[in-house]
Amino acid sequence: MTRPASTSAVAKQATPPPPVPGHVRPPRRRRGQVLPYVLLIPAIGILIAALGYPLTRQAVMSFQEYGLAQQFGQPPEWVGFDNYIQLFTDSYLWSVIAKSIAFCLTVAATTMIIATALAVLMTVISTGPRLILQIALLLAWAMPHLASLTVWQWIFDSQYGIVNWLLVNLGFDQFAGQSWLLNPLSFFVVAGIVVTWMSVPFVTFAVYAGLTQVPGELHEAASIDGASERQRFQMITVPLIKPVLLIVGLLQIIWDLKVFTQIFVLQDVGGITRDTNLIGTYIYRLGIGEGQFGLAAAASWFMLLLTVTLSLYYVRILLREED
Amino acid sequence: MSATTSSMPKPSSTREPAVAPRSASRRSPARIRRRVLGIVAVLIALVWAFPVYWMLNSSFLPYNRIRSTEPTFFPIGGSLDAYNRVFDSNFLSSLRMSMAVTLITVAAALLFAFLAALALSRFRFRGRKSFILAVLIIQMIPAEGLFISHFKMLEGWHLLNSVVGLSLLYVAAVVPFTIWMLRGFVAGVPRDLEEAAQVDGCSRSQAFFRITLPLLAPGLVASGVYAFLQAWNEFTLALVIMNRPDSMTLPLWLRTFADANRASDWAGIMAGSVLIAVPVIIFFLFVQHRMTSGLVTGAVKG
């Protein structure tokens, strides 16, 4: 039960078995030419059906006038870049994008900082407290998003919420009956707290798992050479867990940019949507809500490109690590 | 939680011998520091787990105590009434729906991803690297950006409000990550084992089923749990695809239940949340360690 199969996986993969000489090789290779493709068929098939096809269709739709009339059978009309022009000339889209990026970067950075700190903390405390912390994080991690959201709503409830009760008891009387979700700024603060609370456990465990794979001998050697604790952390630990930090950082950015459930459900409660839309809820309301499918498709494509652009930097580093 | 205890971090365990030879006076500040940090960790744990506790606590409270300006911190004298109210709603039909979708998703995703992971880690073939790259990029496609065409697509195939339709989308959403995770586990089973079995007279497939597959069980379980969590908890796609009351999954049910009872039945809403969360939490506590290490393997190996 110690470090699972995966640790040895790293080592094994790093040194591929030497090529088997002579007559064993050719038949396997020939079979290997067909078999791997056969093995990939189901996965590729479902990806094409459920992602490739809709992506293409969405691309087509983004160049069409596709509104409610088309929903009821009228053939869609080609409008070229009209949808895109209409979107990009609407200052509302830009405010949504600005809010989305700001929200995404703030929450992702907060999550990474808290989670890395907790992971490092786990490596220096004794077993008891570490287990308690791990169980607490696991509980938060395993909670279904909608269940957590409902609890957080209850915690921030204006009349019976414990946050307001606590603040009032600490002497901040102005928070009695405070409705956190009615004001865009406090709405985003609450949403940010909820998203961070949900995301930190995963990142903490991933970073911690990375930390436990840092060989202790390196630290020992460095401390014999007179390196301080901080120097050892910066020069040994950080470079070694960099791949993990990069990948979880990337996942955070992707997830926080497309955050939907949290915003959607909190909007439902607070009743303000226009000032609190992020890209995900904006597209939803444009398409499913207003039936403007062409416009929504164009916005979706823009969102895809934005996500890929924002994460491209990371993908390049990841690929470099692979070589 | 044996998995977690056994993973004592190496840095600290090796640091100790390095400190030990020094005098006792040098040792005690380190010990005090460790204790203080331990207390800090426990405090953080309490804060982090509080919402979960609050959900559980509130679900047992009767109406007059949950709607009171003075919060009740322990459900002494509580009741299970809220749970009865939950079962009186159409919770059970949503439970069936969620279970069906989740089972299909887990089974299909595991099978498809397993085959693909085998191909990627046991064979060298043309297009292998591009496929890995594609898997990486596909994970960046936000499902939220595909609302519209997913809706239109399933509408066209008459699969709105159907288990099959929703499962199809879930499998596709889960498969890239599952491939990634399983790839690490498959690569972790040394090929020499299989080859040795072949030398001993097993056919290639026999060697695979007798030697490799059992060793992969932990990886399959971990990936299965990942798929389970995704399908059980997913809200967004279900919201778009399952728009009829009789085809709601549990997260959708919870939302409508909360909408209908907002500001009146918080205990019931919390009880519903508990019922959705508890199976996941229990299931999850046993396997999370392998899940994270599976992820880390994937990350380290790209």
Side-chain angles (χ1 to χ4, degrees):
Chain A
M1 283 295 276
T2 17
R3 231 135 293 118
S6 43
T7 320
S8 60
V10 182
K12 279 286 164 354
Q13 186 73 356
T15 51
V20 187
H23 60 281
V24 190
R25 192 78 180 172
R28 164 168 305 172
R29 209 186 214 170
R30 219 184 306 125
R31 211 195 310 168
Q33 286 307 335
V34 193
L35 193 53
Y37 297 112
V38 176
L39 292 173
L40 286 177
I41 286 174
I44 293 181
I46 198 145
L47 288 175
I48 289 177
L51 289 173
Y53 171 71
L55 271 174
T56 324
R57 180 164 180 169
Q58 196 151 296
V60 171
M61 222 191 295
S62 73
F63 295 105
Q64 292 173 332
E65 161 76 40
Y66 206 117
L68 282 177
Q70 283 69 26
Q71 264 294 70
F72 291 105
Q74 201 173 311
E77 196 182 308
W78 290 95
V79 292
F81 284 93
D82 279 9
N83 287 327
Y84 290 95
I85 293 169
Q86 193 184 331
L87 272 179
F88 294 155
T89 49
D90 184 356
S91 65
Y92 183 62
L93 173 85
W94 297 106
S95 80
V96 167
I97 287 173
K99 274 182 252 174
S100 295
I101 294 181
F103 184 81
C104 162
L105 294 181
T106 314
V107 172
T110 316
T111 306
M112 290 300 292
I113 291 169
I114 296 180
T116 310
L118 288 185
V120 173
L121 181 65
M122 279 188 197
T123 64
V124 292
I125 55 183
S126 43
T127 315
R130 189 172 63 241
L131 264 180
I132 294 173
L133 181 56
Q134 285 178 337
I135 290 172
L137 292 176
L138 280 174
L139 288 174
W141 187 10
M143 283 272 279
H145 283 191
L146 216 78
S148 341
L149 267 168
T150 328
V151 183
W152 279 102
Q153 277 171 47
W154 177 224
I155 289 175
F156 278 101
D157 186 79
S158 57
Q159 286 183 64
Y160 307 111
I162 189 148
V163 170
N164 284 354
W165 173 84
L166 191 69
L167 286 171
V168 169
N169 274 277
L170 289 174
F172 301 100
D173 285 332
Q174 70 269 33
F175 288 108
Q178 164 84 16
S179 302
W180 297 93
L181 301 176
L182 287 182
N183 167 292
L185 188 63
S186 62
F187 175 95
F188 282 122
V189 171
V190 171
I193 291 175
V194 178
V195 176
T196 309
W197 178 80
M198 291 172 176
S199 329
V200 159
F202 162 75
V203 182
T204 309
F205 283 112
V207 176
Y208 179 67
L211 285 174
T212 57
Q213 297 192 5
V214 174
E217 300 82 53
L218 287 180
H219 272 272
E220 218 172 316
S223 68
I224 289 170
D225 290 345
S228 71
E229 197 167 339
R230 177 187 225 133
Q231 284 171 325
R232 282 180 306 196
F233 183 74
Q234 275 175 357
M235 293 169 162
I236 298 171
T237 314
V238 171
L240 281 171
I241 61 165
K242 201 172 144 204
V244 181
L245 290 176
L246 282 175
I247 191 70
V248 288
L250 169 67
L251 290 173
Q252 288 313 303
I253 288 182
I254 295 172
W255 288 336
D256 293 342
L257 191 63
K258 66 179 196 180
V259 57
F260 175 83
T261 313
Q262 292 88 341
I263 304 296
F264 183 80
V265 173
L266 291 178
Q267 281 181 337
D268 239 22
V269 187
I272 43 165
T273 50
R274 200 178 154 79
D275 293 336
T276 53
N277 269 338
L278 297 185
I279 302 179
T281 50
Y282 172 60
I283 295 173
Y284 177 86
R285 298 193 190 277
L286 205 56
I288 308 287
E290 297 173 26
Q292 306 211 42
F293 292 106
L295 264 184
S300 303
W301 259 99
F302 182 66
M303 175 185 181
L304 292 182
L305 291 180
L306 189 68
T307 316
V308 173
T309 313
L310 274 180
S311 35
L312 215 56
Y313 166 75
Y314 281 99
V315 174
R316 270 182 46 213
I317 299 177
L318 278 174
L319 287 178
R320 214 180 296 149
E321 305 268 338
E322 166 111 340
D323 297 329
Chain B
M1 291 295 299
S2 57
T4 2
T5 21
S6 60
S7 62
M8 272 286 285
K10 270 191 178 170
S12 66
S13 55
T14 44
R15 202 172 296 148
E16 244 156 8
V19 176
R22 309 213 179 133
S23 68
S25 61
R26 287 284 315 240
R27 245 169 91 190
S28 57
R31 213 177 246 182
I32 291 168
R33 199 184 79 139
R34 180 182 251 234
R35 181 153 296 174
V36 170
L37 288 175
I39 293 169
V40 170
V42 172
L43 289 178
I44 296 174
L46 291 180
V47 171
W48 224 269
F50 177 77
V52 184
Y53 171 74
W54 205 233
M55 165 183 80
L56 201 61
N57 176 48
S58 312
S59 72
F60 296 120
L61 294 180
Y63 186 78
N64 60 333
R65 284 172 71 196
I66 196 161
R67 285 167 66 85
S68 137
T69 40
E70 213 37 47
T72 308
F73 283 95
F74 303 100
I76 298 160
S79 72
L80 291 174
D81 289 353
Y83 289 87
N84 286 330
R85 291 199 295 280
V86 166
F87 283 109
D88 287 341
S89 71
N90 50 354
F91 172 79
L92 287 177
S93 77
S94 305
L95 178 69
R96 268 196 297 277
M97 203 67 184
S98 269
M99 278 166 62
V101 174
T102 306
L103 282 179
I104 296 180
T105 305
V106 171
L110 273 190
L111 179 66
F112 295 177
F114 174 62
L115 297 177
L118 270 187
L120 291 178
S121 52
R122 281 289 189 260
F123 298 93
R124 296 284 169 274
F125 55 93
R126 273 182 68 184
R128 181 176 164 275
K129 229 179 170 170
S130 355
F131 185 80
I132 297 176
L133 184 62
V135 165
L136 200 63
I137 291 179
I138 284 172
Q139 291 177 73
M140 268 172 247
I141 298 176
E144 282 72 5
L146 284 172
F147 278 150
I148 309 306
S149 54
H150 274 149
F151 176 79
K152 304 289 310 173
M153 177 178 93
L154 291 187
E155 192 186 37
W157 294 349
H158 302 288
L159 285 175
L160 285 181
N161 290 300
S162 93
V163 172
V164 175
L166 191 61
S167 308
L168 173 76
L169 300 189
Y170 283 1
V171 173
V174 168
V175 146
F177 191 76
T178 330
I179 292 178
W180 211 30
M181 228 166 129
L182 278 176
R183 191 169 79 99
F185 281 99
V186 177
V189 176
R191 218 177 168 154
D192 323 10
L193 281 181
E194 247 176 79
E195 273 162 14
Q198 277 173 277
V199 170
D200 288 345
C202 283
S203 73
R204 187 156 198 218
S205 55
Q206 274 176 329
F208 174 76
F209 281 107
R210 290 194 193 160
I211 311 289
T212 312
L213 199 57
L215 289 170
L216 283 178
L220 288 170
V221 171
S223 322
V225 172
Y226 168 77
F228 175 91
L229 287 175
Q230 296 297 312
W232 188 262
N233 295 341
E234 206 281 337
F235 173 74
T236 312
L237 284 170
L239 177 72
V240 177
I241 306 301
M242 313 298 261
N243 47 26
R244 270 207 324 251
D246 57 340
S247 57
M248 284 185 299
T249 57
L250 283 176
L252 292 184
W253 164 83
L254 182 61
R255 172 163 169 268
T256 52
F257 186 72
D259 273 350
N261 298 293
R262 177 152 295 134
S264 59
D265 190 11
W266 272 108
I269 296 167
M270 290 300 114
S273 309
V274 171
L275 288 173
I276 297 179
V278 160
V280 183
I281 291 178
I282 291 174
F283 196 23
F284 187 74
L285 286 178
F286 290 102
V287 266
Q288 64 76 26
H289 187 67
R290 290 193 180 282
M291 276 183 59
T292 359
S293 42
L295 172 97
V296 172
T297 316
V300 171
K301 286 152 43 52

